[in-house]
Amino acid sequence: MLSIIGIITILVIVALLISGRVSPIVAMVIPPVIAMFIAGYSFDDLGVFFGDGINSVISVAVMFIFAIIFFGIMQDVGLFEPVINKMVALSKGNVVLVAIVTVIVAAIAQLDGSGASTFLISITALLPLYVRLGMNPYLLLLLVAGSAAIMNMIPWGGPLGRVASVLNADVTDLWHPLIKIQVIGIVLMLLLAIFMGFREKRLIAKRAQTGQPLNFDLSNSVLNNEVDESLKRPKLIWANAILAIVVLAVLMSGLLPAGLAFLIGVAIALPLNYRTPKEQMGRIQAHASNALTMASIIIAAGLFLGILNGTGMLTAIANNAVNILPSFLAQYLHIIIGVFGVPFDLLLSTDAYYFALFPVVDQIGLTYGIDSLSTGYAMIIGNIVGTFVSPLAPAVWLALGLSGLEMGKHLKFSFFWMWGLSITLLIFAVLLGVIQV
């Protein structure tokens, strides 16, 4: 009975998240609470489940709040602009270099963990250059999407925080084995950029010889180049760069909890760049919406996971699944789900994938001796590359609106390249021992 209630609950949550008719908070709070009462538990039990769930995710929620605010401030002061502008200047006129620079620009821009800001920076800076050189703007979307997705494995990016919440693990410790996968991923993206750059060069030459016009229309582009120059601190670029490097070094070393490292970073960054309390609070308020939205979703997920774990629903689902699934498939379920992670991105939102599907796959894997970290890594690596190809990702629609491009053509151009990259990274992860088979 618990298994049936649990499955129905998860399906309802997934359906609500996919439908987009309610916020993730509503989807992850109401159904499990109703399911808990149906299963015969009381209000007192609900309080216990909530407490257990919150304890498992609170450190991740705090980290998200201050990480987003910290990198938001770094973006405001213009920390990344000199590097990006220099790369754009150096690449002008060379199609292959433009493709390479696109990967690097997107990777740097994604350091704040926000896909929206990455597309804003990358498309605003590079789309005019693509147009001037006659390059396919869908190539720009492909390279930005892939690079940003790989960089999104950072602890404050989203997916890692969700997995850490489910596993009650330290998000920084969870990240460390993925750093080498990120390095490999960016190298693969650079190789893809070189290959696609040479291919684009040939296509441009062919169009020039035949007089063939460009087959894409950018008339609907709504690029906005307005930047609040008053927030920038060009004289403090080096001071901010040192601060960002120190915070990242502390994070990678594990010297301090991630949330505390970013809290201290914010406390230093604010008076360093903005002198008055009004200006400092203004920067916090400007980024509080994104920070609190992510934190509130994590807390709602804590309740959801607390109920599913506390009532035993996840265990019941896993035990029944083990009895149904052939053993030769069940023991490789984490790999199978990882391989199909990018297609899953077209069907499931990020929240549905990590908060509904992952806990079930994890429980099944545990019964076959598969470590939870291996399951988490398989599902992260398999899925994350497709993040910015999915129509369920709001940042993708922002990118399409900025560039005036179409979702269908973006999918057609990028989907199989991203899926291939995802599977390649999974293979590397298995060979390097990050994922247990």
Side-chain angles (χ1 to χ4, degrees):
M1 190 59 165
L2 270 179
S3 179
I4 294 171
I5 294 172
I7 290 171
I8 292 172
T9 302
I10 291 171
L11 289 175
V12 169
I13 291 171
V14 170
L16 287 172
L17 289 171
I18 290 174
S19 72
R21 294 180 181 276
V22 297
S23 75
I25 295 175
V26 175
M28 286 188 288
V29 170
I30 303 302
V33 168
I34 293 173
M36 184 208 70
F37 286 126
I38 292 173
Y41 290 88
S42 66
F43 281 101
D44 289 338
D45 295 319
L46 177 59
V48 173
F49 297 153
F50 177 68
D52 292 341
I54 289 299
N55 289 337
S56 70
V57 302
I58 191 64
S59 62
V60 177
V62 170
M63 186 274 294
F64 266 105
I65 291 172
F66 292 108
I68 290 172
I69 293 174
F70 177 78
F71 281 106
I73 294 169
M74 293 298 101
Q75 198 77 50
D76 291 337
V77 301
L79 176 61
F80 308 123
E81 273 193 19
V83 179
I84 291 170
N85 291 339
K86 187 67 175 176
M87 289 178 184
V88 171
L90 288 173
S91 68
K92 284 184 177 178
N94 188 312
V95 171
V96 177
L97 275 179
V98 169
I100 293 171
V101 164
T102 302
V103 170
I104 299 171
V105 167
I108 293 171
Q110 187 61 27
L111 279 173
D112 69 347
S114 168
S117 66
T118 298
F119 282 115
L120 278 167
I121 293 166
S122 304
I123 293 176
T124 303
L126 294 169
L127 183 61
L129 189 55
Y130 271 67
V131 173
R132 194 182 315 150
L133 297 175
M135 296 175 67
N136 190 339
Y138 287 100
L139 174 59
L140 170 60
L141 290 190
L142 165 64
L143 297 177
V144 173
S147 305
I150 289 166
M151 287 302 296
N152 209 34
M153 292 183 198
I154 50 181
W156 54 93
L160 218 62
R162 290 169 169 88
V163 170
S165 300
V166 175
L167 298 182
N168 191 18
D170 182 84
V171 71
T172 310
D173 292 341
L174 198 63
W175 176 46
H176 289 163
L178 286 175
I179 294 174
K180 51 182 170 280
I181 302 300
Q182 285 182 289
V183 172
I184 292 169
I186 292 298
V187 170
L188 290 174
M189 282 303 304
L190 288 170
L191 292 174
L192 178 61
I194 292 169
F195 170 77
M196 297 295 281
F198 277 112
R199 191 180 83 159
E200 194 65 23
K201 197 172 181 178
R202 289 194 299 271
L203 290 172
I204 292 169
K206 183 179 177 181
R207 283 198 298 267
Q209 288 174 356
T210 61
Q212 180 184 352
L214 298 179
N215 59 353
F216 31 81
D217 178 17
L218 299 179
S219 60
N220 293 322
S221 174
V222 291
L223 274 178
N224 183 358
N225 292 304
E226 292 181 11
V227 178
D228 191 345
E229 298 291 335
S230 67
L231 298 175
K232 293 182 180 178
R233 297 294 183 266
K235 294 180 180 179
L236 295 171
I237 285 295
W238 284 108
N240 283 298
I242 292 168
L243 175 60
I245 290 169
V246 169
V247 170
L248 289 173
V250 169
L251 191 71
M252 294 177 69
S253 69
L255 192 63
L256 293 175
L260 178 57
F262 282 117
L263 173 58
I264 293 173
V266 169
I268 295 172
L270 285 171
L272 174 65
N273 294 287
Y274 305 104
R275 300 304 177 193
T276 68
K278 183 178 179 180
E279 287 178 314
Q280 293 168 15
M281 288 306 298
R283 290 304 85 217
I284 293 175
Q285 290 166 4
H287 303 292
S289 176
N290 288 336
L292 292 177
T293 296
M294 192 64 235
S296 64
I297 291 172
I298 293 289
I299 291 171
L303 172 62
F304 163 58
L305 294 168
I307 290 174
L308 261 65
N309 282 311
T311 58
M313 290 181 192
L314 282 181
T315 304
I317 292 170
N319 290 337
N320 281 286
V322 168
N323 294 329
I324 296 170
L325 283 173
S327 59
F328 72 92
L329 280 181
Q331 60 186 326
Y332 299 112
L333 185 60
H334 61 309
I335 300 292
I336 295 169
I337 296 294
V339 167
F340 288 98
V342 173
F344 269 124
D345 242 323
L346 304 183
L347 303 172
L348 303 177
S349 68
T350 305
D351 294 315
Y353 183 82
Y354 290 106
F355 290 138
L357 182 61
F358 169 56
V360 176
V361 177
D362 178 38
Q363 288 294 321
I364 294 170
L366 287 172
T367 63
Y368 285 92
I370 303 298
D371 186 72
S372 291
L373 289 177
S374 285
T375 302
Y377 289 140
M379 291 188 65
I380 289 169
I381 295 167
N383 171 263
I384 202 167
V385 175
T387 300
F388 300 121
V389 182
S390 170
L392 299 175
V396 175
W397 292 102
L398 171 63
L400 295 170
L402 285 169
S403 56
L405 301 176
E406 299 174 19
M407 173 57 83
K409 290 182 179 178
H410 173 47
L411 271 172
K412 184 179 179 181
F413 190 89
S414 302
F415 178 79
F416 286 103
W417 287 110
M418 291 298 93
W419 195 5
L421 176 65
S422 166
I423 294 171
T424 304
L425 286 177
L426 274 173
I427 292 169
F428 272 108
V430 171
L431 292 175
L432 292 171
V434 176
I435 298 173
Q436 172 191 352
V437 179

